[in-house]
Amino acid sequence: MDGSIGIWLAIAAMTCAAVFAVLIPLSRRTDTAADARDVEVYKDQLAEVDRDAAAGLIGPAEAEAARIEVSRRLIAAAERAGASGAAGEGMSRRRRIAAIAAIVVVPAIAALAYGLRGQPGYPGQPLAERQRAAPQQSDVATLIGRIEAHLATNPEDGRGWEVVAPVYLRMGRLPDAVRAYSNAMRLLGVTADRQADLAEAQTIAAGGVVSAEAKAGFERALALGPGHPKAGYFLGLASEQDGKPEEAKARWTRMIGEAPADAPWLGLLRSEIARLGGTAPAAAAPAPQATPGPAQIRAMVDGLAQRLAADGSDFDSWLRLVRSYVVLGEGDKAREAAASARRLFAAEAEKIARLDSLVNELGIGGS
Amino acid sequence: MSPEIGHYALVLGLALALFQSVVPIWGSRKGDATLMATAPSVALGQFVFVTLAFAVLTHAYLVSDFSVENVYLNSHSSKPLIYKISGVWGNHEGSMLLWVVILTLFSALVALFGRNLPLSLKANVLAVQGWITVAFLVFILKTSNPFARLAPAPFEGRDLNPLLQDVGLAIHPPLLYLGYVGFSMSFAFAVAALIDGKIDAAWARWVRPWTLVAWIFLTAGISMGSYWAYYELGWGGWWFWDPVENASLMPWLAGTALLHSAIVMEKREALKVWTVLLAILTFSLSLLGTFLVRSGVLTSVHAFAVDPERGVFILAILVAFIGGSLALYAWRAPLLKQGGLFAPVSREGALVFNNLFLTASCAAVFVGTLYPLALETLTGAKISVGPPFFNWTFGPLMVPLVIAMTFGPLVAWKRGDLLAVAQRLTVALVVGIAAIAVTYAVTTGGPVLAPLFVGLAAFIIVGAMVDIAERTQLFRAPASVSFARARGLPRAAWGTAVAHAGVGVMLLGIVGETAYKQETIVQMRPGDSVQVAGYDLTLQALVPVQGPNYRDLVARLQVREGGVPVGMMEPAKRLYTARNMPTTEAALKTRGVSQLYVSPGDATADGSIAMRFFYKPMVLLIWIGTLVMMLGGLLSLSDRRLRVGAPKPSARRAAAVQAAE
């Protein structure tokens, strides 16, 4: 039942059916004479009294009294049945009113009530169909489908889990990602990378909060591979979330000091330190590399962008967003964000000046 | 299929329900047969549309259509099929829709099988059903629309509350609703009779099958719910006097009273006014139950204030229906003629006794459930009324009730002889006393009163058999005569005996479980053993297991009886990953009608785990008892007298064809 024509046809057909449910009995003649059904019941009760008396369930004298009782009801019922059936006048008028109610009022009420909330133009979105519909998604979907089928029969294949885990993470199937990472780690053995990936997935699944479990995971990862950048970054984030931003800054600053000069994540750490109101050590600051950042940065940046789209009054957040886009290597978006901020704060010369200096510093000017 | 079709079908159902609320009753006031005759057809139409809406919603769950908000909030694409289906009514919106589906189902059944009803009564009954349907459809469309859409549609759903991902949930609510809503039929009959001002023995007979059906389903629903709580919550109890449980128990008690008072009315035309009142009260309590569970008042009075729209709406429905029907009752009931007279000691007297105690116990539950709520609303003070209150009010009321229950069926109508009945119950009394003696001899420990209750249970069961033995003259007449009489006995008599025996069976289970259960809590490591009631349980290992949408930590326990292995028990701590919510999966091992019950606690870092072990003797009898009671209800339902008054269908159909030509 696709398309808007289909839904209107269905609505029309259903309305017709409803109207006919009323019209058909109205068009039939019904006789009232068959209304003596209680007589049947009392006749049966008389027989029942006899049965009870035979079984000794009621004394003979009581049975006689009961028989009289029931007979009285029987006579009354028979009289009532004879008396009814004298209600002719006004029938055709009433029938006409009922018919009009069926044809006009029933569809009108339906249309009114449906009109309040209905969205007839919005077709259903079954998951399978949607995955078929979007082409680039369908590649991923079929790929995942194949891996999932494979894993269903070979759940002990750690490689499969390892392949599918980051895909889940990117698709936002976070619990599945956590499951896949933990399976990969269980089957292939614990390494610093796997441990850190699992904890990262747990953190993203928890909405960006580094839980105690995830924190323990990052600590294990750091123990296995000292200086593991992802673990270090998140442990800093955990300190910040614990209300110890100084500790976070210290950790990140230490990491920058120990890092090779061309490490791709230096930019991220610098902007994070700046966010906490510190200054990064002025080591040889290379231009941020245009490599896509890890998924967690992506998630946080998207969240920030959404927040600002809803409420753009926080100027410092705008600066952070511009910087983050540059870190992610998305110059266009950075320029877009800078332009939005410029529009919003056009009246405040001091802020515009800060924005300009940032744009110059990041080398995304020229717009 | 577009979810919009379901939405529109629901709206059409509302339009038809409005028609049904007005036109048939107008016809009945004017004596217009044609208008009255629209009711069955419109009722069927309503059922078809509302069911279509339900089917569309179910379809949306099956194909994971997350453009429907309700599906997004309560489903997940990787959920097993059965929980996708049961998820439809595992949430507020879907369960209200199911409520209305069942309501229209009952209307449709009256339309189809109510051929033996007088036209006017049938039209009025269906009109009253129409009012209820309108109220609830407006409620659904206004405050709880299951077809609300989301654009853009999310790619994954939020999953169903893990506690509800259980086969118990798949069956329990539909059964319970069939019971709750079934009592709307008794209500509709009562209100229709009050409108007509005509109520008699025939009415009692017509309303009986509907009351019985509702009672059977409600019994099944409560029983299932109790068993579900027993094994799923992992606390090892089977009844908690929880407000939600009480909400279903109250209509059951009132409904049971109604079932019995309707017998008096049918046989003797007595207790008319009372029976009509009970019919109204029973459904009012069903509505109250719906209100308590659905408005959020129970979690906290404040939850109600957070989302007041739904609660206030149901409260308005509640006030309108209960207040309206009681006002109608106050106005019309004095017009009803009183029926036959009876002596205090008689079958009628016994049934009045039954009604007195059932309504009193219902009132006790009512007070215990609602008093804390009322107090919190008025003064803000939070108190909790716990099991002791109910045990000390409800329990003492039940004892005389079940004793009288054994005597009742043996007492004659109009005027009975208690002494003669007692003599006939000698066998039951002897068996009961023997049971007490044996229980004292066999058991050690346990409450002093417990053997008395075992004796009472035995008395009830044997007493029910005595009733049948008396009626068939078993052991007094030749076997062939008894057999012939047994076959000739009305099914209702069998139904009474079986249902009453079921109460005895249940009582036995309750006594066994409460008085003689054994319980121990142990901190265990793999390799440790524990002894419970003659069973040795050894923890072999703690194994992680990955489920479709959860992770388990399974404790494998080997069970031995007298050194002989009798099987494994595998309780688990389960974590549902989508909601990050832990649950406890208790393990049960059935030995006869008794059970071993293991509920795991949290595993500690040093590899040990706390385990709670129960041995529950005769616990299964609690639910077997309810099954026996339901069987009794079914037997009574199959009694031929309930079909009397149905005109021969073939003759009628021929007449209808002629009329149409």
Side-chain angles (χ1 to χ4, degrees), chain B residues 217-242:
Chain B
F217 280 119
L218 191 57
T219 310
I222 296 175
S223 170
M224 273 288 319
S226 150
Y227 192 67
W228 174 76
Y230 170 70
Y231 76 79
E232 175 70 20
L233 294 182
W235 302 333
W238 53 274
W239 190 264
F240 300 97
W241 293 111
D242 174 273

PDB file of all heavy atoms in Angstrom, chain B residues 217-242:
ATOM      1  N   PHE B 217     -11.783 -15.754  32.984  1.00  0.00           N
ATOM      2  CA  PHE B 217     -10.588 -15.094  32.458  1.00  0.00           C
ATOM      3  C   PHE B 217      -9.862 -14.303  33.542  1.00  0.00           C
ATOM      4  O   PHE B 217      -8.642 -14.284  33.584  1.00  0.00           O
ATOM      5  CB  PHE B 217     -10.948 -14.181  31.286  1.00  0.00           C
ATOM      6  CG  PHE B 217     -11.115 -14.926  30.000  1.00  0.00           C
ATOM      7  CD1 PHE B 217     -12.312 -14.921  29.320  1.00  0.00           C
ATOM      8  CD2 PHE B 217     -10.051 -15.650  29.474  1.00  0.00           C
ATOM      9  CE1 PHE B 217     -12.463 -15.612  28.140  1.00  0.00           C
ATOM     10  CE2 PHE B 217     -10.193 -16.354  28.290  1.00  0.00           C
ATOM     11  CZ  PHE B 217     -11.408 -16.329  27.623  1.00  0.00           C
ATOM     12  N   LEU B 218     -10.637 -13.669  34.411  1.00  0.00           N
ATOM     13  CA  LEU B 218      -9.991 -12.891  35.470  1.00  0.00           C
ATOM     14  C   LEU B 218      -9.220 -13.833  36.400  1.00  0.00           C
ATOM     15  O   LEU B 218      -8.092 -13.542  36.805  1.00  0.00           O
ATOM     16  CB  LEU B 218     -11.031 -12.088  36.244  1.00  0.00           C
ATOM     17  CG  LEU B 218     -10.463 -11.032  37.194  1.00  0.00           C
ATOM     18  CD1 LEU B 218      -9.573 -10.066  36.449  1.00  0.00           C
ATOM     19  CD2 LEU B 218     -11.577 -10.270  37.889  1.00  0.00           C
ATOM     20  N   THR B 219      -9.826 -14.970  36.708  1.00  0.00           N
ATOM     21  CA  THR B 219      -9.132 -15.966  37.528  1.00  0.00           C
ATOM     22  C   THR B 219      -7.832 -16.378  36.847  1.00  0.00           C
ATOM     23  O   THR B 219      -6.764 -16.416  37.477  1.00  0.00           O
ATOM     24  CB  THR B 219     -10.018 -17.213  37.719  1.00  0.00           C
ATOM     25  OG1 THR B 219     -11.301 -16.799  38.158  1.00  0.00           O
ATOM     26  CG2 THR B 219      -9.423 -18.160  38.742  1.00  0.00           C
ATOM     27  N   ALA B 220      -7.929 -16.660  35.555  1.00  0.00           N
ATOM     28  CA  ALA B 220      -6.736 -17.066  34.813  1.00  0.00           C
ATOM     29  C   ALA B 220      -5.697 -15.950  34.820  1.00  0.00           C
ATOM     30  O   ALA B 220      -4.505 -16.187  35.044  1.00  0.00           O
ATOM     31  CB  ALA B 220      -7.121 -17.423  33.378  1.00  0.00           C
ATOM     32  N   GLY B 221      -6.164 -14.716  34.604  1.00  0.00           N
ATOM     33  CA  GLY B 221      -5.233 -13.586  34.524  1.00  0.00           C
ATOM     34  C   GLY B 221      -4.510 -13.361  35.834  1.00  0.00           C
ATOM     35  O   GLY B 221      -3.295 -13.195  35.865  1.00  0.00           O
ATOM     36  N   ILE B 222      -5.242 -13.375  36.941  1.00  0.00           N
ATOM     37  CA  ILE B 222      -4.615 -13.150  38.244  1.00  0.00           C
ATOM     38  C   ILE B 222      -3.641 -14.281  38.546  1.00  0.00           C
ATOM     39  O   ILE B 222      -2.523 -14.057  39.004  1.00  0.00           O
ATOM     40  CB  ILE B 222      -5.686 -13.057  39.347  1.00  0.00           C
ATOM     41  CG1 ILE B 222      -6.580 -11.850  39.109  1.00  0.00           C
ATOM     42  CG2 ILE B 222      -5.047 -12.966  40.719  1.00  0.00           C
ATOM     43  CD1 ILE B 222      -7.731 -11.749  40.084  1.00  0.00           C
ATOM     44  N   SER B 223      -4.070 -15.490  38.249  1.00  0.00           N
ATOM     45  CA  SER B 223      -3.235 -16.653  38.531  1.00  0.00           C
ATOM     46  C   SER B 223      -1.926 -16.600  37.739  1.00  0.00           C
ATOM     47  O   SER B 223      -0.835 -16.797  38.276  1.00  0.00           O
ATOM     48  CB  SER B 223      -4.049 -17.899  38.183  1.00  0.00           C
ATOM     49  OG  SER B 223      -3.256 -19.029  38.216  1.00  0.00           O
ATOM     50  N   MET B 224      -2.041 -16.277  36.445  1.00  0.00           N
ATOM     51  CA  MET B 224      -0.849 -16.142  35.599  1.00  0.00           C
ATOM     52  C   MET B 224       0.066 -15.050  36.136  1.00  0.00           C
ATOM     53  O   MET B 224       1.282 -15.190  36.182  1.00  0.00           O
ATOM     54  CB  MET B 224      -1.252 -15.727  34.188  1.00  0.00           C
ATOM     55  CG  MET B 224      -1.607 -16.792  33.226  1.00  0.00           C
ATOM     56  SD  MET B 224      -0.196 -17.709  32.685  1.00  0.00           S
ATOM     57  CE  MET B 224       1.005 -16.414  32.468  1.00  0.00           C
ATOM     58  N   GLY B 225      -0.555 -13.926  36.506  1.00  0.00           N
ATOM     59  CA  GLY B 225       0.222 -12.793  37.008  1.00  0.00           C
ATOM     60  C   GLY B 225       0.984 -13.188  38.257  1.00  0.00           C
ATOM     61  O   GLY B 225       2.159 -12.846  38.422  1.00  0.00           O
ATOM     62  N   SER B 226       0.319 -13.946  39.111  1.00  0.00           N
ATOM     63  CA  SER B 226       0.960 -14.376  40.346  1.00  0.00           C
ATOM     64  C   SER B 226       2.135 -15.307  40.041  1.00  0.00           C
ATOM     65  O   SER B 226       3.209 -15.187  40.623  1.00  0.00           O
ATOM     66  CB  SER B 226      -0.085 -15.065  41.219  1.00  0.00           C
ATOM     67  OG  SER B 226       0.483 -16.035  42.018  1.00  0.00           O
ATOM     68  N   TYR B 227       1.947 -16.220  39.080  1.00  0.00           N
ATOM     69  CA  TYR B 227       3.035 -17.145  38.755  1.00  0.00           C
ATOM     70  C   TYR B 227       4.193 -16.391  38.103  1.00  0.00           C
ATOM     71  O   TYR B 227       5.364 -16.666  38.364  1.00  0.00           O
ATOM     72  CB  TYR B 227       2.531 -18.257  37.838  1.00  0.00           C
ATOM     73  CG  TYR B 227       3.527 -19.385  37.698  1.00  0.00           C
ATOM     74  CD1 TYR B 227       3.823 -20.202  38.790  1.00  0.00           C
ATOM     75  CD2 TYR B 227       4.212 -19.604  36.514  1.00  0.00           C
ATOM     76  CE1 TYR B 227       4.755 -21.201  38.699  1.00  0.00           C
ATOM     77  CE2 TYR B 227       5.149 -20.612  36.408  1.00  0.00           C
ATOM     78  CZ  TYR B 227       5.420 -21.408  37.498  1.00  0.00           C
ATOM     79  OH  TYR B 227       6.354 -22.397  37.413  1.00  0.00           O
ATOM     80  N   TRP B 228       3.841 -15.402  37.282  1.00  0.00           N
ATOM     81  CA  TRP B 228       4.875 -14.595  36.623  1.00  0.00           C
ATOM     82  C   TRP B 228       5.718 -13.870  37.668  1.00  0.00           C
ATOM     83  O   TRP B 228       6.946 -13.876  37.622  1.00  0.00           O
ATOM     84  CB  TRP B 228       4.203 -13.606  35.668  1.00  0.00           C
ATOM     85  CG  TRP B 228       5.152 -12.637  35.060  1.00  0.00           C
ATOM     86  CD1 TRP B 228       6.032 -12.891  34.054  1.00  0.00           C
ATOM     87  CD2 TRP B 228       5.349 -11.275  35.438  1.00  0.00           C
ATOM     88  NE1 TRP B 228       6.757 -11.755  33.777  1.00  0.00           N
ATOM     89  CE2 TRP B 228       6.369 -10.757  34.612  1.00  0.00           C
ATOM     90  CE3 TRP B 228       4.773 -10.444  36.387  1.00  0.00           C
ATOM     91  CZ2 TRP B 228       6.810  -9.453  34.706  1.00  0.00           C
ATOM     92  CZ3 TRP B 228       5.212  -9.141  36.482  1.00  0.00           C
ATOM     93  CH2 TRP B 228       6.216  -8.653  35.647  1.00  0.00           C
ATOM     94  N   ALA B 229       5.031 -13.254  38.647  1.00  0.00           N
ATOM     95  CA  ALA B 229       5.760 -12.549  39.699  1.00  0.00           C
ATOM     96  C   ALA B 229       6.645 -13.526  40.469  1.00  0.00           C
ATOM     97  O   ALA B 229       7.771 -13.201  40.852  1.00  0.00           O
ATOM     98  CB  ALA B 229       4.781 -11.863  40.644  1.00  0.00           C
ATOM     99  N   TYR B 230       6.138 -14.737  40.653  1.00  0.00           N
ATOM    100  CA  TYR B 230       6.851 -15.765  41.408  1.00  0.00           C
ATOM    101  C   TYR B 230       8.183 -16.127  40.751  1.00  0.00           C
ATOM    102  O   TYR B 230       9.212 -16.161  41.414  1.00  0.00           O
ATOM    103  CB  TYR B 230       5.940 -16.988  41.516  1.00  0.00           C
ATOM    104  CG  TYR B 230       6.564 -18.241  42.066  1.00  0.00           C
ATOM    105  CD1 TYR B 230       6.931 -18.326  43.403  1.00  0.00           C
ATOM    106  CD2 TYR B 230       6.749 -19.351  41.249  1.00  0.00           C
ATOM    107  CE1 TYR B 230       7.471 -19.488  43.906  1.00  0.00           C
ATOM    108  CE2 TYR B 230       7.280 -20.512  41.748  1.00  0.00           C
ATOM    109  CZ  TYR B 230       7.650 -20.586  43.074  1.00  0.00           C
ATOM    110  OH  TYR B 230       8.179 -21.731  43.566  1.00  0.00           O
ATOM    111  N   TYR B 231       8.169 -16.354  39.439  1.00  0.00           N
ATOM    112  CA  TYR B 231       9.437 -16.798  38.863  1.00  0.00           C
ATOM    113  C   TYR B 231      10.238 -15.694  38.209  1.00  0.00           C
ATOM    114  O   TYR B 231      11.448 -15.833  38.053  1.00  0.00           O
ATOM    115  CB  TYR B 231       9.257 -17.991  37.905  1.00  0.00           C
ATOM    116  CG  TYR B 231       8.702 -17.650  36.549  1.00  0.00           C
ATOM    117  CD1 TYR B 231       9.501 -17.117  35.547  1.00  0.00           C
ATOM    118  CD2 TYR B 231       7.377 -17.879  36.269  1.00  0.00           C
ATOM    119  CE1 TYR B 231       8.977 -16.807  34.310  1.00  0.00           C
ATOM    120  CE2 TYR B 231       6.842 -17.585  35.045  1.00  0.00           C
ATOM    121  CZ  TYR B 231       7.646 -17.041  34.072  1.00  0.00           C
ATOM    122  OH  TYR B 231       7.130 -16.735  32.855  1.00  0.00           O
ATOM    123  N   GLU B 232       9.607 -14.578  37.851  1.00  0.00           N
ATOM    124  CA  GLU B 232      10.358 -13.560  37.121  1.00  0.00           C
ATOM    125  C   GLU B 232      10.994 -12.514  38.036  1.00  0.00           C
ATOM    126  O   GLU B 232      12.101 -12.082  37.812  1.00  0.00           O
ATOM    127  CB  GLU B 232       9.451 -12.894  36.081  1.00  0.00           C
ATOM    128  CG  GLU B 232      10.077 -11.728  35.318  1.00  0.00           C
ATOM    129  CD  GLU B 232      11.179 -12.140  34.345  1.00  0.00           C
ATOM    130  OE1 GLU B 232      11.203 -13.329  33.975  1.00  0.00           O
ATOM    131  OE2 GLU B 232      12.006 -11.286  33.986  1.00  0.00           O
ATOM    132  N   LEU B 233      10.294 -12.131  39.084  1.00  0.00           N
ATOM    133  CA  LEU B 233      10.846 -11.085  39.939  1.00  0.00           C
ATOM    134  C   LEU B 233      11.974 -11.617  40.801  1.00  0.00           C
ATOM    135  O   LEU B 233      12.800 -10.866  41.283  1.00  0.00           O
ATOM    136  CB  LEU B 233       9.752 -10.472  40.807  1.00  0.00           C
ATOM    137  CG  LEU B 233       8.679  -9.714  40.029  1.00  0.00           C
ATOM    138  CD1 LEU B 233       7.677  -9.097  40.966  1.00  0.00           C
ATOM    139  CD2 LEU B 233       9.298  -8.638  39.163  1.00  0.00           C
ATOM    140  N   GLY B 234      11.984 -12.943  41.015  1.00  0.00           N
ATOM    141  CA  GLY B 234      13.102 -13.540  41.732  1.00  0.00           C
ATOM    142  C   GLY B 234      13.065 -13.326  43.229  1.00  0.00           C
ATOM    143  O   GLY B 234      14.057 -13.482  43.911  1.00  0.00           O
ATOM    144  N   TRP B 235      11.903 -12.936  43.783  1.00  0.00           N
ATOM    145  CA  TRP B 235      11.813 -12.746  45.222  1.00  0.00           C
ATOM    146  C   TRP B 235      11.245 -13.970  45.921  1.00  0.00           C
ATOM    147  O   TRP B 235      11.190 -14.021  47.142  1.00  0.00           O
ATOM    148  CB  TRP B 235      10.934 -11.539  45.560  1.00  0.00           C
ATOM    149  CG  TRP B 235      11.423 -10.275  44.952  1.00  0.00           C
ATOM    150  CD1 TRP B 235      12.721  -9.987  44.624  1.00  0.00           C
ATOM    151  CD2 TRP B 235      10.666  -9.130  44.579  1.00  0.00           C
ATOM    152  NE1 TRP B 235      12.800  -8.736  44.078  1.00  0.00           N
ATOM    153  CE2 TRP B 235      11.555  -8.179  44.045  1.00  0.00           C
ATOM    154  CE3 TRP B 235       9.319  -8.797  44.663  1.00  0.00           C
ATOM    155  CZ2 TRP B 235      11.141  -6.941  43.579  1.00  0.00           C
ATOM    156  CZ3 TRP B 235       8.910  -7.567  44.212  1.00  0.00           C
ATOM    157  CH2 TRP B 235       9.813  -6.651  43.671  1.00  0.00           C
ATOM    158  N   GLY B 236      10.750 -14.918  45.128  1.00  0.00           N
ATOM    159  CA  GLY B 236      10.284 -16.169  45.703  1.00  0.00           C
ATOM    160  C   GLY B 236       8.888 -16.109  46.279  1.00  0.00           C
ATOM    161  O   GLY B 236       8.378 -17.103  46.755  1.00  0.00           O
ATOM    162  N   GLY B 237       8.244 -14.965  46.266  1.00  0.00           N
ATOM    163  CA  GLY B 237       6.869 -14.894  46.773  1.00  0.00           C
ATOM    164  C   GLY B 237       5.884 -15.045  45.639  1.00  0.00           C
ATOM    165  O   GLY B 237       6.238 -14.885  44.473  1.00  0.00           O
ATOM    166  N   TRP B 238       4.636 -15.337  45.962  1.00  0.00           N
ATOM    167  CA  TRP B 238       3.638 -15.529  44.898  1.00  0.00           C
ATOM    168  C   TRP B 238       2.517 -14.516  45.017  1.00  0.00           C
ATOM    169  O   TRP B 238       1.712 -14.346  44.137  1.00  0.00           O
ATOM    170  CB  TRP B 238       3.084 -16.940  44.926  1.00  0.00           C
ATOM    171  CG  TRP B 238       2.578 -17.313  46.278  1.00  0.00           C
ATOM    172  CD1 TRP B 238       3.314 -17.839  47.304  1.00  0.00           C
ATOM    173  CD2 TRP B 238       1.258 -17.145  46.775  1.00  0.00           C
ATOM    174  NE1 TRP B 238       2.524 -17.987  48.408  1.00  0.00           N
ATOM    175  CE2 TRP B 238       1.253 -17.588  48.105  1.00  0.00           C
ATOM    176  CE3 TRP B 238       0.056 -16.676  46.210  1.00  0.00           C
ATOM    177  CZ2 TRP B 238       0.113 -17.561  48.898  1.00  0.00           C
ATOM    178  CZ3 TRP B 238      -1.074 -16.656  47.000  1.00  0.00           C
ATOM    179  CH2 TRP B 238      -1.036 -17.104  48.332  1.00  0.00           C
ATOM    180  N   TRP B 239       2.446 -13.802  46.127  1.00  0.00           N
ATOM    181  CA  TRP B 239       1.436 -12.752  46.274  1.00  0.00           C
ATOM    182  C   TRP B 239       1.989 -11.727  47.238  1.00  0.00           C
ATOM    183  O   TRP B 239       2.433 -12.073  48.329  1.00  0.00           O
ATOM    184  CB  TRP B 239       0.121 -13.329  46.797  1.00  0.00           C
ATOM    185  CG  TRP B 239      -0.980 -12.321  46.714  1.00  0.00           C
ATOM    186  CD1 TRP B 239      -1.416 -11.497  47.695  1.00  0.00           C
ATOM    187  CD2 TRP B 239      -1.782 -12.028  45.558  1.00  0.00           C
ATOM    188  NE1 TRP B 239      -2.426 -10.697  47.225  1.00  0.00           N
ATOM    189  CE2 TRP B 239      -2.674 -11.004  45.919  1.00  0.00           C
ATOM    190  CE3 TRP B 239      -1.820 -12.514  44.245  1.00  0.00           C
ATOM    191  CZ2 TRP B 239      -3.595 -10.472  45.031  1.00  0.00           C
ATOM    192  CZ3 TRP B 239      -2.741 -11.983  43.366  1.00  0.00           C
ATOM    193  CH2 TRP B 239      -3.616 -10.981  43.754  1.00  0.00           C
ATOM    194  N   PHE B 240       1.990 -10.464  46.848  1.00  0.00           N
ATOM    195  CA  PHE B 240       2.686  -9.450  47.652  1.00  0.00           C
ATOM    196  C   PHE B 240       1.739  -8.406  48.239  1.00  0.00           C
ATOM    197  O   PHE B 240       2.180  -7.468  48.849  1.00  0.00           O
ATOM    198  CB  PHE B 240       3.744  -8.758  46.794  1.00  0.00           C
ATOM    199  CG  PHE B 240       4.769  -9.710  46.261  1.00  0.00           C
ATOM    200  CD1 PHE B 240       4.663 -10.227  44.988  1.00  0.00           C
ATOM    201  CD2 PHE B 240       5.834 -10.113  47.060  1.00  0.00           C
ATOM    202  CE1 PHE B 240       5.607 -11.112  44.506  1.00  0.00           C
ATOM    203  CE2 PHE B 240       6.769 -10.992  46.584  1.00  0.00           C
ATOM    204  CZ  PHE B 240       6.655 -11.497  45.307  1.00  0.00           C
ATOM    205  N   TRP B 241       0.453  -8.544  48.009  1.00  0.00           N
ATOM    206  CA  TRP B 241      -0.513  -7.504  48.404  1.00  0.00           C
ATOM    207  C   TRP B 241      -0.065  -6.165  47.851  1.00  0.00           C
ATOM    208  O   TRP B 241      -0.187  -5.130  48.483  1.00  0.00           O
ATOM    209  CB  TRP B 241      -0.671  -7.445  49.925  1.00  0.00           C
ATOM    210  CG  TRP B 241      -1.303  -8.659  50.491  1.00  0.00           C
ATOM    211  CD1 TRP B 241      -0.706  -9.597  51.281  1.00  0.00           C
ATOM    212  CD2 TRP B 241      -2.659  -9.094  50.313  1.00  0.00           C
ATOM    213  NE1 TRP B 241      -1.602 -10.583  51.591  1.00  0.00           N
ATOM    214  CE2 TRP B 241      -2.807 -10.295  51.012  1.00  0.00           C
ATOM    215  CE3 TRP B 241      -3.761  -8.576  49.615  1.00  0.00           C
ATOM    216  CZ2 TRP B 241      -3.996 -11.013  51.041  1.00  0.00           C
ATOM    217  CZ3 TRP B 241      -4.949  -9.285  49.641  1.00  0.00           C
ATOM    218  CH2 TRP B 241      -5.065 -10.488  50.351  1.00  0.00           C
ATOM    219  N   ASP B 242       0.472  -6.241  46.657  1.00  0.00           N
ATOM    220  CA  ASP B 242       0.908  -5.051  45.944  1.00  0.00           C
ATOM    221  C   ASP B 242      -0.347  -4.370  45.382  1.00  0.00           C
ATOM    222  O   ASP B 242      -1.287  -5.048  45.000  1.00  0.00           O
ATOM    223  CB  ASP B 242       1.821  -5.551  44.822  1.00  0.00           C
ATOM    224  CG  ASP B 242       2.242  -4.466  43.896  1.00  0.00           C
ATOM    225  OD1 ASP B 242       1.519  -4.189  42.926  1.00  0.00           O
ATOM    226  OD2 ASP B 242       3.302  -3.905  44.159  1.00  0.00           O
TER     227      ASP B 242
END
